[in-house]
């Protein structure tokens, strides 16, 4: 763990170095404490597919980076689905035979089955049992249970607490409602020099859990603030906050045609708060720009990581990679769902995650976005034989502003570039073949543009217009 | 060997399971005893490129599954070749110096060189020697010798018998004839819902030998009977019985244009009677549907097997994969020619083969045909985002007719299907990527068609019309 | 080393065998002594980018094979470059404080910095020091130093000699000139039956060094004489002798459009005189015909060798593989630049190289050219089923002119050919797949052409016309 924290620090340094080398400002980096403070405000909100808890969550995230709010009315048909009614929770608790109020949703929003229908009545301990959810194998954990599409009410509690419930009569109050309201979605679009987009998507429908899922929205939001602070963006960056599944589907019904034309690469960000190695899950087409960029950064950083193929049983990449869209969208994880025992329980809480690890995730995401942003495709305007680099001042001379660069490496990288810049290969491709750092190649390529030797090759197939 | 016989039993069970799961009838399966009984009737017939022995062979096979007989007249030009005269054998034997009749073709048809020209005369032991064929390294084996295109007569015997031949005068009678007759070919076409065909080709020109070659015709014939018994066939199945080389060439001259348009996959079936692991030989294009289906079944069954590349020095796949046709035709073997010492001798007899192994071959071929038959290509009609499986009843519920299926696996397979069914990937491709059983994918896909979620995508390039 | 010399002898034998088998004359092979004699004449000449030393070098090489001389005037613009002035060296030496003439260019042309500007004067030992070049790590080596594009004068000497220079006043004479002359290029084109070309390029700008670089021009020249002696050439062979970089660029400016249309394969030949394993460096597109042919010969010969990817920091392949041309040009080396310690010093001399090894290089190059020359693409005119080889006399019969061939192998190779000759696969492709010797395939294919079974398939994409 110490080792990984160290690696994360290395990554952070790499991002800074890159920014410095590119002669760009360092991004507006958040502290772990700032993330934690935001986490603490978001934690108690009663999130679900819909409702005020979600709106309040988006309000708080919107303080960090401005968000464009979209309210999709209940009943709206989105492709094969219909937006559900909005869920309203006023209060919900039991009163035990001793008159003690227990499992109060006001204490923990996990106690109430998500989307529970209203109920008011008195039940025996035995009658009540069919409405209780606990985990015998994890006797201290309160499970996270939803019932979005089947009308049902119920309470979640630890097995230990359940076993201790006395016999007798229980008073039940589930004061909820399902109203014609709306489903809340937010987006932030940071425009760049080109219409090509990087899509970052995360979800805000999970109540009080930490890794799955406050880590994703926090990472996405602070990443957005960093990128908003870049001096210049070649690409456009789009951040999407939706309830899982139905939200992504609704967003695609609103923006799908635009995304098909413009998304160059995208990532679903979820479960990124554990101090564990990264997991990169490929996009459906498994060798898209999204995959190449993320893997380039992971490999260059030498951080331990795992790569796995796309599979359609995960999160919202299922929607983005559905056959009608099949977008180049992968997924970054750091403690994947179902691979840690606290998943979908009350034990997935602040103690489990690391705010330093979360910053490391943001570093990695920013480095990946940097890689995408510099990954232009260049065409040499002197392609016949090697260009005369000396007369153009493109051979590094001792001293000067790049005196701290390794001259031999720069010369080699320059020769690779002028050989490979045929207007078809992007810099990631050249970096992979040559083994040269992407940032160095980008720096030289930009200098070649400045000196009239290269032009940027516009790939119409990627940068379509609406 | 016990192990392999066991594996074969497993395969048989797998085929049955598949049939059951697909809610189809089990095929009309033959017993080992029935195969053996058929073998015993075919064994003594005097087969060659042409002649009555071949006709009688096709008669007997035709009792198992109806065959369409084609007689190609001697002298017919088929591409670069001419159909040879028909060979007639009345009698052939020697009388040794002691007056004893020996090497009588009536005892074993291997004694006479195949296609021998007539001869009648008296020769000394020494003069006779140039007309004798034996194998010094296998002193008890009578070799199988042919001389189709060079006029010659001769007798085949064991080295031990040859060494014991006394000096003196021998009387020779080779009462044969080469007449303007015909070359006998048979075919059976089992029509299916589509014009796409599976081709099964085997040869019937070898006289009394068991693995090479009564095993192939027996396997093909009983396979045909099984498939004829299927309740439904998506594909059309074509079984071809020809003399090797010239017969396949003649068949191509008759049906080649049709086969080019319609054959989706095919297999040459030869040397399939030894209780040994299977050998799959790829088609010339080495990754055709024929290869993918056979290898899928071999791998799924976990049977030990060997895979080898196409090479044009084998059997009739040389003709089907010739550059003017280049059909997707592989070859299945179980004890390949030239890889067992009894090959092309009298030792390749009933003792060498196993009728249980032969049934295992038929099981494997049927499983491969099943795989081809279910291997449709589907297109989702709700490709934008994930379809709502719940409202369509496509999430398995506990109980019901599929209660014995693993629900989680079915749900995962369904998600794979709706993601991958883009109208281009066939089920074998999806099975390979997802690791899901082909039969399960097929079952779900069919349910999706029934519920209006999928349509079958017709690949015009494979299902051409004449 | 003995082992490698042996392998080289094997290669030589292989080439001879090939020639014999193809029923062609053995090539006009040079002896090691003849190469050495030529080396001795070339050694002292004062070569540089331009000048009389280069012209004299080309004169001597032109005695071995006729060369077409091209003089490109100083100041000519060639793509991004300008041909430099011609360098004239009349005399250059120092007189030490004892009146002794030292570092005289007449003793060794390495003593004078290449392209040094004129200077005449008296300097103290200390003032002189800024104009001296030596190698502290290799105290006995005189370094090879150039200053083509920066006006400078200087002397090169061993560190040992430098350390021994007495204090006092030195008299300096650098009697050089930079005149409006020309840069000397030579080419030899050996026409073949087709316009497709094999390009062999080497450079003649290095003064008195042996591996880098008299070995390349010697190998290329004697190779040219051998190929000129072939009875027949299917391909055209082009040999190019240029100064490195600027010369190749100038040549491309003269012949680039022609080369783009006609070069089927090419090799830069440099550093090929050490008795070491071969190194093959791939062309930029890394699987061109150049690569396939060279690697086929290296693998078939079973000589130890190393293969490395193209990299644009080497020799003139940088120019041929620049994006505007991207020709299929690899590089053959045997003791690559920068990988032996004597590189670019006076220690890279006759003692370092082996004339037997150099002959081995020529053998390998000739074998590669032979492979390219026989590597036609054939189309079977009887593609439907297997052709009747017997009636065409294409099955080898015992005896006859090819009695010493292995009949079984020839029959197998014939079957491979008739299966694979679809008018698209060249013989190298068929050799690789079948494992059959290229020469055998070529021999059979030619026989098939003679007997009307094959025709040569003309690939318009490679054999364009101007």
């Amino acid at each position: 763990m110490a080792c990984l924290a160290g690696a994360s620090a290395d990554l952070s340094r790499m991002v800074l170095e890159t920014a410095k080398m590119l002669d760009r400002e360092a991004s507006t980096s958040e502290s772990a404490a700032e993330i934690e403070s935001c986490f603490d405000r978001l934690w108690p909100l009663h999130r679900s597919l819909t409702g005020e808890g979600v709106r309040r969550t988006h309000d708080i995230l919107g303080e960090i980076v401005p968000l464009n709010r979209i309210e999709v009315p209940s009943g709206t048909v989105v492709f094969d689905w219909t937006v559900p009614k909005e869920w309203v929770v006023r209060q919900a608790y039991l009163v035990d035979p001793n008159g003690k109020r227990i499992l109060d949703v006001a204490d923990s929003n996990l106690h109430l089955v998500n989307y529970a229908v209203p109920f008011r009545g008195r039940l025996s301990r035995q009658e009540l049992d069919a409405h209780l959810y606990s985990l015998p194998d994890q006797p201290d954990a309160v499970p996270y249970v939803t019932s979005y599409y089947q009308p049902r009410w119920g309470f979640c509690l630890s097995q230990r607490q359940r076993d201790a419930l006395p016999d007798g009569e229980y008073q039940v109050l589930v004061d909820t409602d399902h109203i014609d309201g709306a489903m809340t979605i937010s987006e932030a679009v940071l425009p760049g020099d080109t219409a090509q987009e990087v899509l970052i998507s995360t979800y805000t429908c999970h109540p009080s859990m930490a890794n799955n899922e406050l880590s994703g929205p926090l990472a996405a939001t602070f990443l957005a603030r960093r990128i908003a602070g870049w001096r210049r963006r070649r690409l456009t960056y789009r951040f999407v906050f939706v309830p899982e599944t139905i939200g992504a589907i609704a967003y695609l019904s609103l923006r799908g045609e635009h995304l098909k034309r413009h998304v160059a690469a995208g990532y679903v960000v979820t479960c990124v708060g554990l101090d564990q190695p990264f997991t990169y899950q490929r996009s459906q087409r498994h060798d898209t720009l999204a995959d190449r960029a993320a893997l380039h950064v992971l490999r260059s950083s030498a951080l331990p990581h795992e790569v796995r193929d796309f599979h359609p049983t995960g999160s919202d990449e299922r929607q983005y990679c559905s056959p009608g869209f099949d977008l180049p969208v992968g997924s970054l994880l750091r403690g994947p769902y179902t691979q840690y025992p606290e998943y979908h329980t009350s034990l997935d809480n602040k103690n489990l995650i690391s705010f330093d690890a979360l910053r490391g995730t943001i570093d990695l995401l920013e480095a990946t976005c940097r890689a995408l942003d510099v990954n232009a495709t260049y065409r040499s305007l002197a392609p016949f034989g090697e260009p005369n680099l000396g007369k153009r001042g493109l051979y590094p001379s001792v001293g000067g502003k790049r005196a701290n660069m390794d001259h031999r490496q720069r010369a080699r990288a320059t020769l690779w570039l002028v050989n490979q810049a045929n207007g078809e290969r992007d810099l990631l491709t050249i970096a992979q073949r040559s083994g040269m750092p992407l940032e160095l190649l980008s720096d030289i390529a930009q200098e070649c543009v400045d000196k009239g030797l290269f032009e940027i090759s516009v790939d119409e197939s990627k940068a379509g217009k609406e």
Side-chain angles (χ1 to χ4, degrees), chain A residues 234-246:
Chain A
R234 190 175 65 90
L235 304 177
T236 293
Y237 293 81
R238 175 180 298 265
F239 295 81
V240 176
F241 302 81
V242 285
E244 209 177 3
T245 305
I246 180 71

Side-chain angles (χ1 to χ4, degrees), chain A residues 15 49 142 146 174 209 324 327 337 455 463:
Chain A
V15 172
L49 289 190
V142 179
T146 68
V174 181
M209 287 173 292
L327 300 177
Y337 34 84
E455 64 180 9

Side-chain angles (χ1 to χ4, degrees), chain A residues 155-459:
Chain A
F155 285 85
C156 305
L157 70 171
S158 73
Q159 184 65 35
R160 221 175 283 285
Q161 192 172 8
R162 185 179 194 162
D163 293 342
L165 290 183
D167 280 344
E169 194 183 69
Y170 285 78
Q171 183 185 336
V172 179
L173 178 69
V174 181
D175 182 10
T176 60
D177 211 346
H178 295 78
I179 64 171
D180 281 324
M183 179 172 72
T184 304
I185 287 176
S186 291
E187 65 182 2
V189 178
L190 307 176
D193 297 345
T194 73
Q196 287 184 58
E197 291 190 2
V198 176
L199 172 71
I200 305 288
S201 182
T202 190
Y203 51 95
T204 53
C205 55
H206 278 45
S208 298
M209 287 173 292
N211 187 47
N212 178 223
E213 191 64 85
L214 278 177
S215 70
L218 286 168
T221 306
F222 283 102
L223 173 67
R225 189 173 75 181
R226 288 200 198 179
I227 294 177
W230 287 2
R231 189 166 303 163
R232 190 191 149 203
R233 288 180 294 274
R234 190 175 65 90
L235 304 177
T236 293
Y237 293 81
R238 175 180 298 265
F239 295 81
V240 176
F241 302 81
V242 285
E244 209 177 3
T245 305
I246 180 71
I249 291 168
Y251 193 75
L252 282 168
S253 85
L254 291 169
R255 302 278 191 264
E257 284 308 305
H258 175 93
L259 299 181
K260 264 168 103 162
R261 285 201 196 90
H262 294 291
V263 169
Y267 306 96
V268 168
V269 178
T270 172
C271 294
V272 290
L274 301 194
D275 190 3
Q276 291 186 0
F278 290 103
T279 295
Y280 181 70
Q281 177 179 305
R282 291 177 183 274
S283 64
Q284 195 283 125
R285 285 183 271 140
H286 56 69
D287 198 27
T288 63
L289 179 58
D291 306 314
R292 295 194 294 122
L295 293 174
H296 173 84
V297 172
L298 282 165
R299 287 167 188 156
S300 307
S301 69
L303 285 170
H305 64 276
E306 189 195 339
V307 181
R308 65 186 194 195
D309 194 11
F310 170 80
H311 60 102
T313 55
S315 181
D316 282 337
E317 65 277 9
R318 284 152 65 165
Q319 314 310 327
Y320 297 119
C321 296
S322 60
F325 296 106
D326 209 2
L327 300 177
V329 172
S331 181
L332 187 77
L333 306 107
R334 196 171 190 180
Y337 34 84
T338 75
Q339 290 187 17
Y340 61 104
E342 300 86 356
Y343 168 73
H344 270 199
T345 76
S346 59
L347 302 182
D348 183 355
N349 57 35
K350 194 172 166 180
N351 295 328
L352 189 69
I353 64 169
S354 153
F355 293 104
D356 278 331
L358 196 48
R359 281 198 69 224
T361 299
I362 303 169
D363 287 344
L364 184 75
L365 287 166
E366 188 183 16
T368 302
C369 291
R370 287 270 192 215
L372 288 163
D373 213 75
V374 302
N375 183 44
T377 299
Y378 296 88
R379 183 191 311 279
S380 170
L381 301 173
F384 302 105
E386 207 165 88
N388 188 327
L389 298 171
K391 81 173 185 191
R392 296 166 183 274
L394 284 164
Y395 260 131
S397 56
V398 183
K401 73 168 179 167
R402 290 190 186 80
N404 61 333
M405 295 286 303
D406 177 2
H407 285 211
R408 284 179 79 101
Q409 191 188 34
R410 191 171 183 92
R412 289 167 59 93
T414 305
L415 289 172
W416 270 109
L417 260 182
V418 299
N419 180 270
Q420 296 285 303
N422 65 348
E424 290 170 15
R425 300 179 188 102
D426 63 16
L427 290 190
L428 278 166
T429 301
I430 300 173
Q432 171 147 355
R433 181 159 189 195
S434 67
M436 294 290 153
L438 181 68
E439 297 73 21
L440 176 58
L441 291 172
S442 169
D443 186 41
I444 296 168
Q446 197 48 52
E447 192 180 356
C448 288
V449 170
D450 295 345
K451 295 195 167 158
L453 183 56
F454 281 6
E455 64 180 9
I456 288 193
S457 169
V458 178
D459 182 349

Side-chain angles (χ1 to χ4, degrees), chain A residues 18-256:
Chain A
T18 304
K20 264 194 296 183
M21 200 193 61
L22 293 179
D23 201 19
R24 293 172 180 170
E25 80 294 4
S27 57
T28 318
S29 186
E30 68 299 321
S31 66
E34 185 180 7
I35 305 176
E36 181 173 356
S37 148
C38 188
F39 175 93
D40 290 340
R41 293 172 67 199
L42 294 170
W43 176 259
L45 300 175
H46 203 148
R47 279 174 294 278
S48 176
L49 289 190
T50 58
E52 283 306 315
V54 181
R55 288 192 188 94
R56 186 74 196 109
T57 297
H58 287 216
D59 285 344
I60 292 171
L61 297 175
E63 295 173 19
I64 297 162
V65 71
L67 297 179
N68 173 36
R69 181 78 53 92
I70 303 164
E71 296 282 357
V72 186
S74 307
T76 304
V77 172
V78 289
F79 298 125
D80 206 36
W81 301 67
T82 303
V83 172
K85 297 220 170 191
E86 183 175 328
W87 189 42
V88 177
V89 180
R90 279 178 291 266
Q91 45 181 347
Y93 55 80
L94 298 182
V95 180
D96 75 6
N98 306 322
K100 190 177 156 204
R101 185 183 290 198
I102 59 171
L103 306 187
D104 192 337
V105 74
D107 295 334
S108 163
N109 53 39
L110 287 181
H111 281 319
L112 183 62
V113 165
N114 213 297
Y115 256 68
V117 296
F119 181 81
R120 185 183 300 255
R122 291 175 181 275
L123 282 76
S124 71
R125 169 70 188 80
Q126 201 183 343
E127 289 166 328
L128 179 66
D129 206 63
H131 297 273
L132 297 183
Y133 298 87
S134 61
L135 300 167
D137 291 346
Q138 293 177 282
D140 292 315
V142 179
Y144 165 51
V145 178
T146 68
S147 187
Y148 295 140
Y149 299 102
Q150 213 166 347
R152 181 187 305 185
W153 68 263
F155 285 85
C156 305
L157 70 171
S158 73
Q159 184 65 35
R160 221 175 283 285
Q161 192 172 8
R162 185 179 194 162
D163 293 342
L165 290 183
D167 280 344
E169 194 183 69
Y170 285 78
Q171 183 185 336
V172 179
L173 178 69
V174 181
D175 182 10
T176 60
D177 211 346
H178 295 78
I179 64 171
D180 281 324
M183 179 172 72
T184 304
I185 287 176
S186 291
E187 65 182 2
V189 178
L190 307 176
D193 297 345
T194 73
Q196 287 184 58
E197 291 190 2
V198 176
L199 172 71
I200 305 288
S201 182
T202 190
Y203 51 95
T204 53
C205 55
H206 278 45
S208 298
M209 287 173 292
N211 187 47
N212 178 223
E213 191 64 85
L214 278 177
S215 70
L218 286 168
T221 306
F222 283 102
L223 173 67
R225 189 173 75 181
R226 288 200 198 179
I227 294 177
W230 287 2
R231 189 166 303 163
R232 190 191 149 203
R233 288 180 294 274
R234 190 175 65 90
L235 304 177
T236 293
Y237 293 81
R238 175 180 298 265
F239 295 81
V240 176
F241 302 81
V242 285
E244 209 177 3
T245 305
I246 180 71
I249 291 168
Y251 193 75
L252 282 168
S253 85
L254 291 169
R255 302 278 191 264

